[in-house]
Amino acid sequence: MKNKKIAVVTGASNGIGSAISRKLCSLDYFILAVDIDRINGQSFETELGKNNAAFYKCDIQSEDEVKSLFGFIKNNYGRIDVLVNNAGIIRDNLIQNMSSDDFDKVISVNLKGTWLMCREAASMMKNQKYGRIVNIASRAWLGNPGQSNYAASKAGVVSLTRVLALELGRYNVLVNAVAPGLIETPLTQSLPENVLHKLIEAQPTKSIGSPQDVAQVVAFLADDNTKFITGQTIYVDGGKSIGAGI
Ligand SMILES: NC(=O)c1ccc[n+]([C@@H]2O[C@H](COP(=O)([O-])OP(=O)(O)OC[C@H]3O[C@@H](n4cnc5c(N)ncnc54)[C@H](O)[C@@H]3O)[C@@H](O)[C@H]2O)c1
């Protein structure tokens, strides 16, 4: 890991987080893959090599666990160059059918967890006068029926991103969000074929994105040559967020 930039990626065991970790690893970052679950985490270190990646089990909703994670980062690496807050969950339902527990869970992981990670990273990045934070929001923050909890949590992530950009810009710490739309993941693959077809047809590009499409933009925002973009939300959604169609 000597001379490599240190990138911490949450929710790295699956889907988009795994693609982001692999992309940053290919660009010579050392990856600390953080997840509550070690589904693919084990293979991560073996596949990428111990000098390129490590896995750390952490529930980002827990203040104590997040503090321990950053203690580990300080002791083992002494710095954090990039933080990608990717871990997130859904518990969809129309509001009249949604339990307050499902509301709390989604806000707790997606918003509070991201906030806890940002708070610890902000202290370190401010002291080292360098940092890139990329928060994974969602196009759904603009509004999606059945996702009042999820959309609100991601709207919170967009707002958090803007506030931190204002607070941290003077310390050379840039904070941006990426808002994915329809992305090919186990969730979208499990949709009935006709439903998926309709969703794809509703896209200006008539296509579905891949986790690698998201990773590409994260890598751009994480790059130290990307120096003058902060507080922005970049959509990776095939143009769906434009809203108008024919
Ligand atoms: N898949 C999509 O189409 C899509 C679209 C828009 C936004 N997103 C966002 O992208 C991110 C990744 O989505 P995905 O589809 O790859 O999801 P995924 O379910 O495949 O992966 C999420 C990962 O987060 C981890 N995680 C969950 N709760 C955690 C916690 N409390 N602490 C630590 N790790 C935790 C899970 O174990 C999992 O490995 C999420 O923030 C999601 O909201 C996804």
Side-chain angles (χ1 to χ4, degrees), residues 11 14 16 35-36 58-60 86 136-138 150 154 180-181 185:
N14 285 292
I16 294 172
D35 206 291
I36 197 172
C58 173
D59 180 350
I60 60 159
N86 163 80
I136 305 302
S138 169
Y150 181 75
K154 295 298 189 177
T185 60

Side-chain angles (χ1 to χ4, degrees), residues 145-157:
Q147 294 198 309
S148 54
N149 51 358
Y150 181 75
S153 75
K154 295 298 189 177
V157 168

Side-chain angles (χ1 to χ4, degrees), residues 9-20 34-40 55-62 65-66 85-91 105 108-110 113-114 117 135-140 147 150 153-154 157 178-188 208-209 211 214 236:
V9 181
T10 69
S13 285
N14 285 292
I16 294 172
S18 167
I20 292 168
V34 174
D35 206 291
I36 197 172
D37 205 337
R38 207 186 166 99
I39 301 174
N40 298 320
F55 178 80
Y56 190 100
K57 190 172 174 3
C58 173
D59 180 350
I60 60 159
Q61 300 165 88
S62 158
E65 289 190 29
V66 170
N85 284 306
N86 163 80
I89 60 167
I90 49 170
R91 296 282 186 280
K105 273 194 181 125
S108 178
V109 176
N110 297 6
T114 298
M117 291 292 298
N135 294 323
I136 305 302
S138 169
R139 189 207 65 84
Q147 294 198 309
Y150 181 75
S153 75
K154 295 298 189 177
V157 168
V178 173
L182 189 64
I183 303 293
E184 196 162 16
T185 60
L187 183 105
T188 42
I208 186 167
V214 180
V236 181

Side-chain angles (χ1 to χ4, degrees), residues 113-175:
T114 298
W115 182 85
L116 285 170
M117 291 292 298
C118 283
R119 186 177 63 171
E120 297 304 314
S123 299
M124 281 185 80
M125 288 176 171
K126 182 179 161 184
N127 287 339
Q128 68 197 24
K129 296 214 165 19
Y130 181 84
R132 299 282 185 268
I133 298 177
V134 184
N135 294 323
I136 305 302
S138 169
R139 189 207 65 84
W141 86 274
L142 296 168
N144 238 6
Q147 294 198 309
S148 54
N149 51 358
Y150 181 75
S153 75
K154 295 298 189 177
V157 168
V158 169
S159 180
L160 171 66
T161 301
R162 293 166 61 96
V163 171
L164 298 190
L166 294 173
E167 291 186 6
L168 300 173
R170 74 194 63 188
Y171 305 109
N172 193 23
V173 177
L174 307 183
V175 189

Side-chain angles (χ1 to χ4, degrees), residues 72-109:
F72 175 88
I73 294 168
K74 275 180 204 149
N75 290 339
N76 287 275
Y77 313 122
R79 60 184 290 113
I80 173 173
D81 297 289
V82 175
L83 168 64
V84 184
N85 284 306
N86 163 80
I89 60 167
I90 49 170
R91 296 282 186 280
D92 295 352
N93 226 323
L94 294 174
I95 192 162
Q96 64 273 21
N97 301 325
M98 189 179 285
S99 67
S100 61
D101 189 45
D102 279 347
F103 179 83
D104 288 346
K105 273 194 181 125
V106 168
I107 298 292
S108 178
V109 176

